[in-house]
Amino acid sequence: MDRVLILHYHEIWLKGGNKNYFLSRLIAAVKRALEGLPASNLRFVSDRLVLEPQDEAAIPAMLERLKRVFGLAYIALARAVPAELEAMSRVARELMEAANPQTFAVRAKIAAHDFDLNSMQLERALGQAILDHLRAQGSKVRVRLNGPQVTCRVEVVAGQALLYTERVEGAGGLPAVTGGRLVVLLSGGFDSGVAAFKMMRRGAHLSFVHFFSNPSESRGSSRPVVEEMLRVLTPYQFTSRLYLIPFEPVQRLVVAGARESLRVLLYRRLMARMAREIAGAERALGLVTGDSVSQVASQTLHNLAAIDHGLGVPMYRPLAGDDKTEIVRLARQIGTYQISCEPFEDCCPRFMPRAPAIFSNPAELAEAESALDIEALVTLGLENALVRDFKFEAGAVSEREVIPHRYQKLLARRRAPAQPAPPSAVSAKL
Ligand code: ATP
Ligand code: MG
């Protein structure tokens, strides 16, 4: 078969001395994504990746999987021919005859040192050949350099020319698992799934935490929604861990002990505190949420500042400046949109305030928290967590329940009675 897949990377170009590290991670990700599919001879050719599908029928599946590999800018299925004008011209004519456009352009990139023509000369020669061929068949096709209906692309690499008329956009960003770990607060709604995607695309490896309560009869539980979302998100980073935390017992105690208007903010701080503990166990460097500034009352700048105050962990809000329409567009693209459309309840609406505070501040929240046993609430949530691991292998996501060792140690530490301060600390205070 003369078909090859060309995988172009983009941002890795910006990397200086670390470029080889990123490229090796990219290769590993491509191999892992294609596990079980008949592709061979993956290699670098003049600063792009090229591989050979062994079975034409598997090409759509390969493209589908490659679209989820971060670090790839675009992917093209090309015909490979010797880098000779006659062979190129024949394939270009065939490709354009199949496309049958009204307007077209030829774009050439020459990455071989020993090729005789420059890119403009090659574009002209192939353009003329295509034009003559299609016109001879009765077409009224014209060349249009700006915004042509079809572009015939030619890449001349060492000893070969690769030609194609279509390419699919890649996921962009940086290869998976090149940037340290983060913990995402995943609600099952549109926003936090998209926030997760954006941080994964920057190379972060994510663990997920979801807080759920018992749903009312009319709406479903959020747990299957979030688990489904993990099945969609995991192929991008290959493995994921999900912590499921029953939140209703915690909510009840907040409702009993705090002013109604501050409830949501106190929930958010409790969620962040629990996620921070999980981040410690997961060796993660920060938390991610789907907050978008001023989308709802809890997301005013005042309230976000009050929520974060004193928590001492970096909070990433990759959707802070996005409109809902942008978020929904990305959710559709990732494949989480339909999942979030299911009616579900994450945290019990009975415990939501009628009139939430819009401009809170750290002092007000600190006062409200002083009436609650915050550490006990955090432990109450954490000790009832269920943990599930998801793994993407050979095109399918498998999952299983786990009891992570470091999490067990965290729980043991939190349950242990507080140790008296060491004498040196006491005397230092005196
Ligand atoms: P989303 O669409 O992600 O639910 P939202 O716009 O509905 O976001 P909120 O419900 O106020 O906003 O939540 C803000 C953020 O807090 C969420 O994006 C998510 O990161 C986190 N969060 C909220 N509820 C939960 C939950 N039940 N479990 C985990 N994280 C949550
Ligand atoms: Mg929500």
Side-chain angles (χ1 to χ4, degrees), residues 129-168:
I130 292 167
L131 198 64
D132 294 346
H133 179 70
L134 295 183
R135 287 260 171 97
Q137 303 208 327
S139 163
K140 296 198 165 47
V141 66
R142 282 180 301 114
V143 172
R144 181 192 274 174
L145 297 182
N146 285 327
Q149 199 183 1
V150 176
T151 302
C152 177
R153 296 181 191 275
V154 191
E155 299 180 12
V156 180
V157 295
Q160 263 192 327
L162 312 172
L163 292 98
Y164 55 93
T165 52
E166 281 172 37
R167 60 189 191 186
V168 291

Side-chain angles (χ1 to χ4, degrees), residues 278-425:
I278 290 171
E282 291 289 323
R283 297 192 169 95
L285 300 166
L287 308 183
V288 182
T289 77
D291 294 304
S292 165
V293 169
S294 295
Q295 193 190 81
V296 292
S298 59
Q299 296 169 2
T300 62
L301 288 176
H302 298 73
N303 283 346
L304 291 177
I307 290 170
D308 289 4
H309 187 78
L311 291 183
V313 61
M315 297 283 253
Y316 293 95
R317 295 191 165 94
L319 309 186
D322 289 351
D323 287 350
K324 197 76 182 179
T325 47
E326 292 171 289
I327 297 168
V328 165
R329 188 172 45 77
L330 207 45
R332 282 183 199 275
Q333 198 181 312
I334 303 162
T336 52
Y337 176 81
Q338 279 304 327
I339 302 170
S340 296
C341 285
E342 293 296 314
F344 69 88
E345 246 162 41
D346 52 353
C347 294
C348 189
R350 275 183 297 131
F351 299 141
M352 289 300 168
R354 281 157 297 187
I358 295 174
F359 303 114
S360 188
N361 59 64
E364 190 176 45
L365 292 189
E367 195 194 327
E369 285 185 341
S370 67
L372 302 165
D373 187 345
I374 293 293
E375 287 308 316
L377 288 174
V378 170
T379 305
L380 174 65
L382 290 176
E383 67 186 357
N384 290 308
L386 276 174
V387 192
R388 297 184 74 77
D389 274 357
F390 293 71
K391 191 169 189 180
F392 181 67
E393 255 173 335
V397 178
S398 61
E399 46 191 279
R400 65 194 177 105
E401 210 164 305
V402 289
I403 306 174
H405 178 62
R406 286 176 57 90
Y407 192 63
Q408 270 182 308
K409 278 177 54 182
L410 162 69
L411 292 181
R413 226 176 23 249
R414 291 196 67 88
R415 285 189 194 120
Q419 299 294 316
S424 58

Side-chain angles (χ1 to χ4, degrees), residues 25-39:
R25 301 307 307 166
L26 180 63
I27 293 249
V30 168
K31 282 190 181 154
R32 205 158 167 187
L34 292 176
E35 245 172 26
L37 291 177

